[in-house]
Amino acid sequence: MARTAATEPWEVARSIMNATRTKNEAQPDDSGTEAHTLARLALLCLAGVVAAVVSAGQWLLLLLGLVGLALAGAGLWWALAHRGVARLCGALLALAAPVAVLVLYAVSGLWPFAAAALGLWVAALGCARSALRRLRAPRGMHSHSARPPRRPVLIMNPKSGGGKVGKHGLAERAEALGARVILLDLDSSPDPAALARQAVAEGADLLGVAGGDGTQALVAGVAAEHDVPFMVLAAGTRNHFAMDLGLDRDDPTSGLDALSDGVEIRVDLGDVAGRPFVNTVSFGTYAEIVQNPEYRDAKTVTTLDRLPDLLAGGAGARLTATADDQRLQAPQALLVSNNPYVLADPLGVGRRSRLDGGELGVLSVRIEGAAQAAELALLGERASGITSLTSRRVTVEADTETIPVAVDGEALQLPQPVVCAVRPRALRMRVPRHRPGAPYIAPSVDWRRVVRLALHRTPRPTAKNQEQSDA
């Protein structure tokens, strides 16, 4: 159903919003000295790790910690890839291996050295990542000032994110800013894309969504098609797209500032078989699991029930993917993203450093046994079963007529071959001028780069946190 907008002068509405909330966009620290200092601290902590191991005098016992980690990874594989007794034994091994190592360290008196080495290693990683974070690339997403829209239309899902639309009064606040609000009636299976097209036909000069990433993608496709500005409110469950746009996920109402004091940036839009996506397209294990009707109400039980057959290759479509000229044979899981995610080590997070790079991120996973699972536990993203690359076009084929796909979390069946592509800078995003920003995420720690940074002073340019602006 649609709610009639309350017409208010923009100046009054803007004053109301600014009176209730003041946000300052975070600015990065441009001091190159800090980067060099942190790099040197990282190397100092790394030297401390070596010193702790040498001081213990019992290398083999300390190395048992790595063995325990490998055994835990292998046990976890058995627990996920098998049923019955094998699953039980795998779970016990995954739990018992690290506990046994800790007991061994305590009995032998090595626990102080092990604890010191572990703490220093964590500190070394933290300092190294912080140093690399201060060397971010100078180019950012370009923004420019934009006049407030005259006829904005916001489509809101009242049940998304546990009812954030109602909890934060988003509809009333949007109407106070002169927007027309359309509340989705989920009982009637509404089509957000059709509602967006109708709104544009009726003269809407901005489209917005307060809902999940799937709904955002559908409306974003319409906005890109008609070259109409698009905005999002962080009213979903995870709000990945809003997070990478630099919006405040804890305060969805802050996104409404884009209506009265916004700037415009151009971002890429993904396309999978003619359907838009803003975050990811998943193939393989996850996509197969979410097709089950039981998954929504019993995620853990459904996942544990389906994984053994999927990991063993006895169920599900057998995939083959081609990313530009590189062929990925039989991946168990394949993730294609609108711009690449930063693959992180244990101190990292899953985010995209930018949304206008004009390329897809591709992550392929294939673990064929306990040995590769143990390798994954030790090496993380550098394990042989992980392939990470970028591409402009990804084609996925299978030995079945249709391929299970999860597009921004929505379960679909698409006829093969499924082609994923990126539409560079196709989407005009309207975002608040003042917002937390998406902090730069450093890539996985490259110790050679850290050493060079610690030993040499290289000049670094100044950059804004979220985007370059001529506003």
Side-chain angles (χ1 to χ4, degrees), residues 295-335:
Y295 179 76
R296 183 177 296 272
D297 297 323
K299 291 181 173 62
T300 302
V301 173
T302 304
T303 300
L304 291 175
D305 180 64
R306 290 297 312 278
L307 272 178
D309 295 330
L310 293 171
L311 294 178
R318 182 177 175 83
L319 304 175
T320 300
T322 304
D324 288 341
D325 296 328
Q326 183 165 345
R327 194 168 182 83
L328 304 171
Q329 191 65 40
Q332 294 164 322
L334 180 69
L335 183 73

Side-chain angles (χ1 to χ4, degrees), residues 67-127:
V67 175
L69 182 61
L71 289 176
L76 184 60
W77 166 263
W78 279 88
L80 296 177
H82 297 80
R83 296 186 176 91
V85 176
R87 169 170 286 176
L88 177 61
C89 291
L92 290 175
L93 179 60
L95 293 174
V99 171
V101 171
L102 293 177
V103 170
L104 180 62
Y105 284 168
V107 171
S108 62
L110 292 177
W111 68 267
F113 301 98
L118 179 60
L120 288 169
W121 173 246
V122 172
L125 285 179
C127 290

Side-chain angles (χ1 to χ4, degrees), residues 215-265:
T215 303
Q216 291 175 13
L218 293 175
V219 179
V222 176
E225 177 185 346
H226 294 277
D227 196 31
V228 173
F230 179 64
M231 64 174 284
V232 297
L233 301 178
T237 302
R238 297 180 179 86
N239 301 299
H240 287 168
F241 190 47
M243 175 179 66
D244 293 333
L245 286 169
L247 304 184
D248 188 346
R249 295 193 297 169
D250 297 325
D251 183 12
T253 62
S254 64
L256 290 170
D257 285 343
L259 292 174
S260 57
D261 186 22
V263 295
E264 187 169 299
I265 58 177

